[in-house]
Amino acid sequence: MSPIRPILALLTLASALTLHADDGYRLWLRYDPVADAARRAAYAGTISEIVIPESAPPVVASARDELVTGFRGLLGVEVPVVAQATRDNAVILATPRDPWIAAIISEADLREAGVEGYILRRIAHEGGHRTLIVANRPQGLLYGAFALLRHLQLGQPLEKLNLVSAPKIQRRLLNHWDDMNRHVERGYAGFSLWEWFYLPEIRSPRYRDYARALASLGLNGTVITNVNANAQILTAPYLAKVAALAQEFRPWGVRIYLTARFSAPIEIGGLKTADPLDPAVAAWWQDKVAEIYRAIPDFGGFLVKANSEGQPGPQDYKRTHADGANLLADALQPYNGIVMWRAFVYSPENNEDRVKQAVTEFGPLDGKFRQNVIVQIKNGPLDFMPREPFSPLFCAMPNTRLAAELQITQEYLGQSIDLAFLAPMWREVLDADTYANGKGTTIASVVDGSAKLQHPSVIAGVANTGTDRNWTGHLLAQANWYAFGRLAWDHQLASEKIADEWTRLTFGHDETVVSTINKMLLGSRETVVNYSMPLGLTHIMAEGHHYGPGPWVDLKGAGRPDWTSVYYHKAAADGIGFDRTATGSNALAQYAPEWQKLWGNLETCPENLLLWFHRVPWDHKMKSGRPLWDELCLRYQQGVDEVRALRRDWDSLKDRLDAERFTHVAQRLARQEKEAIHWRDACLLYFQQFSKRPLPAGVEPAAQPLEHYTSQILRNMPGHR
Ligand code: BDP
């Protein structure tokens, strides 16, 4: 035996061991060998070579490289890349410019695939077989390559492969709330990925890995700076850095967008005003936009937070949001750039119910925005709470393009400690019927443009990524990034399907592992609701960092009434909840009559939104027959019990998972149990002062008096300045 052999064997063993120590960096793109040997052999037997169009543009080169890497990992074979099919079982990437494609793929399929979609098809050919990835544009080939690899990773058969898939929404974006000093606002996964000081010369390999992850989900853009914007990003030295990032992202079809600080003409332009109707201001933005496009020819556009939470905006000059948005839209229009103008507004001078204010401010501006302006609306009217009804602004602007903004980072759902799989929450929003164009006008149809205006359509997710090795802080929070991307591509996908895909891609096909993790994911958001803000309670978290309970937060603890908790729960001796019916703020009137009828009646209002819409006496009889107080207590207890069940479920997988990932999640679930108990005890002790009722049977009493909870101050919190 050659002396090299044992060394080789040792090396192989060592690399196998490293494979098993898993830090989560590879996300859902693991490409571990297909565990089922028969299946692996079957796949390998049906993939002989990769055929790509000659002089492939960079995105197609990415597709090719991805296929090579994927096949190598999954099948353990080096699949050659060729320019012309030479063998049976070739995998062929083709566009309709290849004449023979027209003979095989119908016009209708090509139309369905559209600008970015793809067709995957296994065909019989000259006595053998081919696997086709066909798309109208290069980008579609990239998405098709990822889809084929996902198909294999999910263990699906190749023989009958035949599908057409196209995104329903055109601009599928992450929004990063990243500051230029690399702090991430509401970020719980380390620092910002963008290393501004080192750019443009020094480029982290992570940029490529990041863009590749986006492309694997079909995300095609990213806003890399915080909505609480810094005008410096628009200066020449920073634009050079942005251009370097754009260059890294481009081969993955990911376009860059920036946040624009409305006062930039003053702060970096030396003007005296940023008045949108001042010609000098308009000229400044035109020049700035021209400069941006010189550096970044495929720049996507601006995202703007204006006159919101202290940000500058057109109202500083007594102009409207439309004036402000149109100013930027006109500058971007020659380049097909867009403006995403956020509707997250509530004024310090306005004492109207905060959840009504966006409609009050934006409703009258309907139809006044340019065609390349999209008003970007958070899913709920308040602020990414664990549960809110959908934002009524989605039905108040029939003549305006509207985008949905979802929050992937778990600002109000336990940050990177608690498990909360958000697909079910986003489904609630996307499926909600606004009735704006008659029955069936879901939010999804408003956003994708099928209900009204067509272009451009946008969906945005506030990112949960950072420099942590596993990208998202909590390993299982990768599922939220994944879910957002998949829903952005296809907003009809069921939560169950998304969870199942993600679990299999991340943990493999051990059915016990898969069913256990799927179950954990699918119930987890409701669990967080139960122990934090059940029955329609909202905004009762700690002030500032927003982690943990703070139902006692009042004006002594927060700068504005609508930043307190007492504003939202209004607990008193006679009951709890915010009356948003006609006898109260009448926020309900902003919804369609169908919703008014359902939500406006105490008897028909779903209990999960009860205290959002109604003020309810403590002894109100709930559907269970129990008084409200007892029900509330039992919900908090249920939340705690459910976290304990999550821990048991996870522990049952100990022998089936690698130690690194097992321990990572186990530690977080243990901490989550403590946090759930903390929420329950703090909230129930606090509310009990008003209800003056005992805890019902089955609810564990708090270990400490209320003062213990109210006096706790958390410092140095991640994601909070
Ligand atoms: C709130 C966050 C704050 C954001 C704001 C926004 O607490 O950090 O700046 O939303 O969306 O949820 O503008």
Side-chain angles (χ1 to χ4, degrees), residues 516 519-520 644-653:
T516 306
K519 182 178 93 178
M520 291 177 68
R644 291 176 179 149
L646 285 172
R647 292 191 64 187
R648 282 194 299 275
D649 286 341
W650 187 256
D651 287 344
S652 75
L653 302 179

Side-chain angles (χ1 to χ4, degrees), residues 177 185-186 227-228 305 309 342 344 378 383-384 411-412 546:
W177 288 356
E185 183 157 346
R186 313 308 176 184
V227 288
N228 295 318
K305 171 175 179 177
E309 299 187 328
R342 297 177 88 229
F344 178 63
K378 291 188 183 186
D383 187 6
F384 297 137
E411 176 178 0
Y412 301 103
H546 297 165

Side-chain angles (χ1 to χ4, degrees), residues 572-709:
D574 65 334
I576 180 170
F578 198 125
D579 183 1
R580 294 198 162 96
T581 68
T583 52
S585 79
N586 209 11
L588 199 54
Q590 294 181 338
Y591 292 93
E594 290 82 350
W595 289 116
Q596 291 186 32
K597 199 164 150 241
L598 183 82
W599 288 337
N601 179 337
L602 195 57
E603 299 312 316
T604 57
C605 181
E607 288 186 345
N608 64 17
L609 286 175
L610 189 70
L611 304 178
W612 179 283
F613 284 114
H614 297 275
R615 183 161 178 75
V616 186
W618 295 108
D619 61 359
H620 170 77
K621 194 166 158 203
M622 301 290 283
K623 295 206 176 85
S624 63
R626 289 188 281 264
L628 168 66
W629 167 252
D630 288 16
E631 189 74 27
L632 185 69
C633 297
L634 286 162
R635 285 300 166 102
Y636 275 104
Q637 181 65 44
Q638 184 185 338
V640 171
D641 294 342
E642 285 169 352
V643 180
R644 291 176 179 149
L646 285 172
R647 292 191 64 187
R648 282 194 299 275
D649 286 341
W650 187 256
D651 287 344
S652 75
L653 302 179
K654 188 164 198 296
D655 298 332
R656 296 172 181 268
L657 298 173
D658 56 282
E660 189 166 358
R661 291 190 296 175
F662 175 81
T663 307
H664 169 96
V665 174
Q667 288 179 348
R668 276 159 188 77
L669 289 172
R671 173 73 181 266
Q672 185 177 358
E673 182 183 347
K674 273 176 67 181
E675 302 296 344
I677 292 171
H678 187 102
W679 267 103
R680 178 198 65 196
D681 294 347
C683 291
L684 292 182
L685 283 172
Y686 172 79
F687 290 136
Q688 200 171 28
Q689 303 174 96
F690 307 101
S691 79
K692 305 225 180 308
R693 287 165 169 254
L695 296 180
V699 178
E700 296 159 9
Q704 307 284 345
L706 180 59
E707 298 66 49
H708 166 82
Y709 303 94

